[in-house]
Structures are given as C-alpha cells and as structure tokens.
Amino acid sequence: MQRRGIESVVLEADEQLGGTWARRYDRLHLHTVRGFSGLAHYSIPRRYPKYLSREDFVAYLGEYATHLKLRVETSRPVRKIRIESQTPTSWVAATPVGEWRSRVIVVATGQYRIPILPKWDGRATYSGSLEHSSRYTNALPYRGKRVLVVGAGNSGTEIATDLAENGAAFVALSIRTPPPIVPRDPFGMPVQRTGILMSFLPSAVADRFARLTARLIFGDLTRLGLRNPKWMPYSAQRVPVIDVGIIGALKKGLVQIRPALASLTATSAVFEGGEAEQFDAIIAATGFSSGLNDLLETKDVLNEAEEPLDLSGQPTSRPGLFFMGYTHSLRGHLFEANLASRRLAKNVERYLQSTARV
C-alpha cells in the first residue's frame, strides 16, 4: 500500500514486532525455504540460512519494517472492530488506549490466535502439568519426566521429538486423526517447491505422488504404530506434517504412539479403548482458533470455522474491510502472504479511488 501512496499504520498487540514468533519454542525453524518465505518488495537476504530459525525470522521482520519505513504502533492490541458509519463507510479499531478510525481496515491477526485446550473429562482433577503447546519453550522443565503430547500436527510432532532428544524419561504422542507425513527435502528438493509444482496438477494425482514419495523415503509407517492418514494434503487442502525428526525418533523408539486421549484422572491419561497410563506432564498441541468471532462486530463475513469467507486480499461484502493471512495452502503461508499483500494493495487502491468519487 505504501508503494501505491496509501498511508497505513500497523497496530501490533505485542511490545515488539515479531513478538508472537519470539515466544514460540526454541527449536522452531521455518519449514519453507528462504527464497519463498520473504514478504513483498524485500526478499529475505541471502546471509540468512536456507531454513530460518525463530530468531532469524524475528530479525528479518524487524529489518523488513525498517527497510520499508513502515509505521508500526506496538502495544496496541485491538479488542473490537466495528463500523462507525456507512455513508461513507468508516471503521473503528478499539484498543485499551484509544480508538483508531479509517476508511479501510485490514484484519491480519492470523489463523493461530487463540489456543484451544479441550475440556477433557477429569481435566480439573489431573495433578500433573497440563499446558497448551503455545506455552512450550524447550525440554528443560520436562527432563526425567514421562510426557504425553496430544496432537500430531507440526507443533506436536516437533515438540515430541524435542522432548525425546533432550532428556524426557518417556515421550508418547496421542493421535486422534492420523495425518499424512512428508519429508522436508524429498530427494534433495524442498517439499515447498514440490508443493508449488504439484498445486497445478489434479489433487488426486498430487496426493498419489505425495503418498508414493513418503513410502519410498520412510518405508511402511504402520510398523511404527502410525495408522494410514485419514486425509491427504492436496484433496483436503491442509498442510501435512513435515518431518524434521519425528520419523527418526519413532524408528529409534524414542517416541511411542498412543490412541486419542479420552479423559484424565489425577495421575493418568485414559485413551480411547479404556487403557490408562501415568504421565507427569501433558502438552496439548490441540490447535488454535482465529478469534475473529469475538474481534469483529460484523460477523457475516465469517464462515462456521470463524475464518473469512473471502480470499485474503480480496474485497469482502463489507466495504473497506479486508483480510490477510487466512489462506490454507500447501505452497507456504509466507509465500501466499506475499502474493495476497500485492493483491490487497491493488484492491484497496481501487476501493479508495471509487469511494473518493462518491
């Protein structure tokens, strides 16, 4: 927008730019390569590694904002977004320290804003440590302990691997819905590049290729206790688990597979089927919600999953309201954000020009 002469301000909830990234677990690296992970008009410099660490990406975000001279107001958490008037349309973003008014508002708070912690039966009686994965930093507090990780997404599998490699006495991974698992660099090519290429093929063909590649590289995963996946990435348009160590940990016996968690007792996890097992700590990698239903007074722009009905960067049914960063893609969230931000800038410019003539 700045390159099109449109003045904008970023309201950032954290005290520093990239605070959400800075709080993620120590082991975290991007699963997407440097060349396809940069934001619009300023690529990630080549001095950064192929796969950026958490700290690397935080540094890049700060560098990005400085290079493009962006106006970022930190410590400005938006509590509610509402329409102030409709002739012409004016939007209000309410924060604890005042309200911001604008003809255009872009909601970019992300798909992973509010941690979801299931209300398992017996949760209140469990005497061990029970935390959502968003609060996990490293394995140090879990050394010598029996730990159950619930949820086999990318965070859950990485946390289980980190625990197993760094001193936990025993690590189990509870899986409700078996996901597809793909290598990060099959045959030396980053899986993101493969995903971009495969996105042009029919989903059934791309899924078949993904299944064959995983079988050739990993072998028969059912021997490790993993059931066949219940969905495939291209037909479901969902990001698979990208292997950065979990398969090796399973093959070495460092991580054990368990069924879905059904309930808790004071000391144990009870799995589907009724088997109970004692654990000192449970880490719930059970996902997030967007929180958009509470953030927006205008809810007719959202679907049942509390995500935008319209594509990121495209106009919505509410004039002047746009969304960014809600694309489900196998090509990489940052790759999609780059494309969507360019689309957004064009659409905002058109909107402002059309309303200026009214």
Side-chain angles (χ1 to χ4, degrees):
M1 288 192 289
Q2 182 191 70
R3 289 169 69 93
R4 291 175 176 271
I6 302 168
E7 182 182 356
S8 63
V9 59
V10 178
L11 301 183
E12 168 57 48
D14 273 293
E15 295 179 358
Q16 62 174 349
L17 188 64
T20 301
W21 283 92
R23 288 192 298 275
R24 297 302 302 275
Y25 50 89
D26 296 347
R27 182 190 181 96
L28 180 66
H29 283 69
L30 295 185
H31 290 155
T32 54
V33 293
R34 179 187 64 240
F36 290 127
S37 300
L39 303 178
H41 308 301
Y42 183 67
S43 301
I44 299 175
R46 294 183 64 84
R47 66 177 179 275
Y48 286 96
K50 180 179 180 180
Y51 291 103
L52 274 69
S53 69
R54 178 196 65 180
E55 294 88 351
D56 290 332
F57 194 68
V58 172
Y60 165 68
L61 288 177
E63 191 175 329
Y64 183 89
T66 300
H67 179 82
L68 295 177
K69 297 181 174 63
L70 303 182
R71 182 185 174 188
V72 180
E73 297 282 342
T74 56
S75 300
R76 296 291 184 272
V78 175
R79 303 302 191 202
K80 187 67 72 174
I81 294 170
R82 70 177 191 273
I83 296 176
E84 185 171 53
S85 66
Q86 298 193 28
T87 52
T89 301
S90 176
W91 291 91
V92 176
T95 77
V97 291
E99 295 184 337
W100 296 71
R101 288 169 171 79
S102 177
R103 291 167 61 192
V104 170
I105 192 158
V106 180
V107 182
T109 51
Q111 297 165 328
Y112 313 115
R113 181 165 163 249
I114 308 296
I116 297 173
L117 190 62
K119 296 179 179 179
W120 293 295
D121 288 344
R123 194 180 86 177
T125 66
Y126 179 65
S127 60
S129 168
L130 174 57
E131 298 280 7
H132 190 270
S133 59
S134 59
R135 298 179 63 86
Y136 178 85
T137 302
N138 55 52
L140 185 60
Y142 302 94
R143 285 183 179 173
K145 296 183 178 181
R146 292 176 56 85
V147 187
L148 175 68
V149 179
V150 182
N154 278 295
S155 292
T157 54
E158 284 197 45
I159 289 171
T161 304
D162 192 45
L163 290 164
E165 292 178 349
N166 291 286
F170 178 85
V171 180
L173 180 63
S174 170
I175 302 177
R176 181 180 60 184
T177 304
I181 303 177
V182 300
R184 189 182 68 175
D185 297 281
F187 311 115
M189 177 184 285
V191 72
Q192 183 187 18
R193 292 179 185 270
T194 307
I196 292 172
L197 293 172
M198 291 295 105
S199 66
F200 295 102
L201 296 177
S203 59
V205 175
D207 281 340
R208 195 175 301 120
F209 179 83
R211 187 181 291 109
L212 176 61
T213 300
R215 182 60 183 259
L216 287 173
I217 293 176
F218 296 144
D220 182 8
L221 295 182
T222 61
R223 296 180 178 179
L224 304 177
L226 289 166
R227 292 174 290 158
N228 290 323
K230 293 294 186 182
W231 52 271
M232 290 302 292
Y234 295 96
S235 55
Q237 282 299 294
R238 293 174 60 185
V239 177
V241 170
I242 298 172
D243 176 45
V244 288
I246 186 61
I247 298 301
L250 288 169
K251 289 181 175 179
K252 293 175 185 177
L254 299 177
V255 175
Q256 304 293 320
I257 301 298
R258 294 292 184 268
L261 178 62
S263 62
L264 297 169
T265 69
T267 59
S268 299
V270 182
F271 301 105
E272 285 186 355
E275 182 179 349
E277 191 171 356
Q278 288 191 349
F279 289 97
D280 302 305
I282 297 173
I283 298 171
T286 44
F288 298 80
S289 73
S290 69
L292 291 178
N293 201 50
D294 291 330
L295 182 64
L296 292 166
E297 283 193 354
T298 305
K299 306 183 194 307
D300 56 0
V301 293
L302 305 177
N303 61 22
E304 292 181 356
E306 292 188 32
E307 292 193 357
L309 289 167
D310 298 285
L311 186 67
S312 288
Q314 293 284 40
T316 68
S317 61
R318 294 288 183 165
L321 174 65
F322 297 83
F323 292 94
M324 265 290 301
Y326 296 90
T327 303
H328 293 274
S329 171
L330 302 178
R331 304 190 299 182
H333 289 298
L334 296 171
F335 178 84
E336 296 291 356
N338 187 323
L339 298 179
S341 64
R342 298 169 191 266
R343 182 168 61 237
L344 170 78
K346 291 178 183 178
N347 286 321
V348 169
E349 184 178 48
R350 290 192 189 108
Y351 172 75
L352 291 174
Q353 289 173 347
S354 66
T355 55
R357 294 193 294 266
V358 175

